[in-house]
Amino acid sequence: NKKKIYDTYGEEGLKGGMGGGGGGGFGDIFSHFGFGDSFFGGESSFFRGGRADTGPKKGQDVVRGLQVTLEQLYNGDVKKIMVTRTRICDSCKGTGATKGDKVITCSTCDGKGKKVIVQRMGPVITQTVTTCPDCQGKGKTVDPKFICKKCQGKQVVQDKKKLEVHIDKGMKHGQKIKFDNEADERPGMEAGDIIFVLQQQEHPVFERDGDNLTMVKKIDLLSALTGAEFKIKHLDGRILLIKSKRGDVIKPGQLKQVDNEGMPQYRNPFIKGHLYIKFDIDFPSKIPPKYISQLKQILPQEIQQHKEKEIKGEDVYECILTEPVITGDNKKDRKSTL
């Protein structure tokens, strides 16, 4: 709106004339909102050079990956990590000089921090703007006799600090833990943040799915048919004695649930997900012939009826399954397929 009025009425429109219509102008309009005359002008004005005053510029954040185990995410943990960053020199207060009045305007760039290099190539003249090599773009230099001995005039020093990273129960892979203003610090600039990103390591037994845990358990055929009983060491060291219901038959690939033995919820660790167990049945390679008749009596009736319906005819050929014998040029391909 301000630009539109300027384009239409010129500078007088901005001063309050609004094109000669007798209006109160921008100053009067914003005074009704409590901004006063300082909204557009003066050192304390809201707009300077066409943009809002946002305060000191914030330095770059430092992002680091943090390897964690599933046990640490389940139980919670504290990791102590040593970080190295730059801090403003406390000896010279970030001036680089032993005396404040010995910081002078750079004579090379006249305090601009930039240097213009003019090059002539025949009739063509080019100008290149580079950072001033003497003041490193700061626009200020220090009298060599008064350079700070601690930072050698660099205004900052290297500092080491041990950070305690608290891993709360239920945190997840990819979750961030931020330490405000713990990154590099420089004069006239707010220090950035150090951000740790949790990276969960693969677990040999459990796999996480949100607040739930899943695992694969191999049991023998007898346990699958007559009842399974086994132990699991949980992520907190507890031993879980797992039992199937009496009379239940566990099928290959079947999924069973153990209530409230999954992961704790983040910031609500007393509420837990579930533990899901997927069963892998280890079938015997052979059955002694003397037990076959007994198995026929135990197997479900519909299976026996299906087998008793013999298929007869001239086009029916009986084939017996045997172990594969891999030979010839396609041995490698057949082995990979099997």
Side-chain angles (χ1 to χ4, degrees):
N1 290 337
K2 181 178 178 181
K3 182 178 184 301
K4 183 177 179 180
I5 293 172
Y6 180 81
D7 293 340
T8 305
Y9 303 108
E11 188 176 350
E12 291 298 322
L14 296 178
K15 290 181 178 179
M18 300 289 283
F26 277 93
D28 291 338
I29 292 173
F30 285 100
S31 66
H32 290 294
F33 294 95
F35 291 110
D37 295 335
S38 64
F39 190 82
F40 284 103
E43 287 297 318
S44 61
S45 65
F46 184 82
F47 286 96
R48 295 175 188 164
R51 60 181 179 181
D53 180 15
T54 57
K57 185 179 178 182
K58 188 177 179 66
Q60 188 174 1
D61 294 337
V62 176
V63 182
R64 296 177 56 176
L66 182 62
Q67 296 286 327
V68 292
T69 64
L70 192 56
E71 284 84 356
Q72 289 174 320
L73 296 175
Y74 184 93
N75 300 295
D77 198 6
V78 177
K79 280 196 169 187
K80 296 181 179 181
I81 301 177
M82 186 70 70
V83 295
T84 302
R85 70 272 172 88
T86 60
R87 299 278 101 175
I88 293 178
C89 178
D90 55 3
S91 179
C92 65
K93 308 302 180 184
T95 63
T98 55
K99 292 184 179 182
D101 58 353
K102 298 304 178 182
V103 180
I104 58 178
T105 301
C106 178
S107 59
T108 304
C109 63
D110 292 330
K112 297 177 181 179
K114 302 291 183 181
K115 186 176 180 181
V116 179
I117 300 176
V118 180
Q119 291 181 326
R120 179 186 292 273
M121 296 180 64
V124 180
I125 299 176
T126 60
Q127 290 185 347
T128 305
V129 180
T130 61
T131 301
C132 178
D134 294 338
C135 66
Q136 303 298 319
K138 300 173 184 177
K140 300 286 184 179
T141 58
V142 180
D143 189 327
K145 298 179 182 180
F146 298 92
I147 292 179
C148 176
K149 294 181 180 180
K150 186 173 182 179
C151 66
Q152 299 298 316
K154 297 179 180 179
Q155 302 177 328
V156 293
V157 293
Q158 293 293 316
D159 176 71
K160 291 185 177 181
K161 184 176 181 180
K162 185 179 290 184
L163 299 179
E164 290 189 353
V165 184
H166 290 262
I167 303 167
D168 295 335
K169 294 181 179 181
M171 280 188 163
K172 299 179 180 180
H173 174 81
Q175 193 164 347
K176 298 177 181 179
I177 302 175
K178 185 173 70 169
F179 289 82
D180 295 331
N181 307 120
E182 292 292 352
D184 291 340
E185 187 179 52
R186 298 188 182 279
M189 182 180 294
E190 183 183 354
D193 305 327
I194 295 181
I195 303 172
F196 293 98
V197 182
L198 299 182
Q199 297 178 344
Q200 179 191 317
Q201 298 174 348
E202 186 176 352
H203 196 273
V205 176
F206 300 104
E207 185 175 342
R208 184 175 184 177
D209 182 11
D211 291 334
N212 300 317
L213 291 172
T214 60
M215 62 170 292
V216 176
K217 178 63 179 178
K218 178 178 284 190
I219 59 175
D220 54 51
L221 181 59
L222 179 62
S223 298
L225 297 174
T226 62
E229 181 176 327
F230 53 92
K231 296 178 181 179
I232 298 174
K233 186 177 181 180
H234 212 322
L235 296 169
D236 57 358
R238 291 180 296 124
I239 303 299
L240 305 181
L241 179 59
I242 308 297
K243 296 182 179 181
S244 63
K245 293 182 180 180
R246 187 176 180 86
D248 281 359
V249 175
I250 300 176
K251 301 177 180 62
Q254 190 171 8
L255 203 65
K256 294 287 187 179
Q257 175 179 309
V258 182
D259 296 339
N260 306 317
E261 287 297 345
M263 292 292 295
Q265 289 185 6
Y266 176 54
R267 292 183 177 174
N268 193 13
F270 297 103
I271 304 298
K272 296 182 179 179
H274 304 306
L275 170 62
Y276 294 100
I277 303 176
K278 185 176 181 180
F279 287 93
D280 183 11
I281 311 301
D282 187 13
F283 283 82
S285 57
K286 291 183 179 181
I287 296 178
K290 62 181 180 179
Y291 296 124
I292 294 180
S293 58
Q294 298 179 25
L295 288 175
K296 288 180 179 180
Q297 297 176 2
I298 298 174
L299 290 175
Q301 187 67 23
E302 59 269 17
I303 296 180
Q304 293 192 34
Q305 290 177 354
H306 178 73
K307 188 174 181 181
E308 288 172 356
K309 295 178 182 179
E310 296 183 1
I311 302 175
K312 296 181 180 180
E314 296 181 357
D315 295 332
V316 177
Y317 298 89
E318 184 176 292
C319 302
I320 305 299
L321 290 170
T322 61
E323 293 296 323
V325 179
I326 303 174
T327 58
D329 297 335
N330 296 327
K331 181 177 180 179
K332 184 178 180 181
D333 295 337
R334 292 183 182 181
K335 185 179 291 185
S336 62
T337 302
L338 293 172

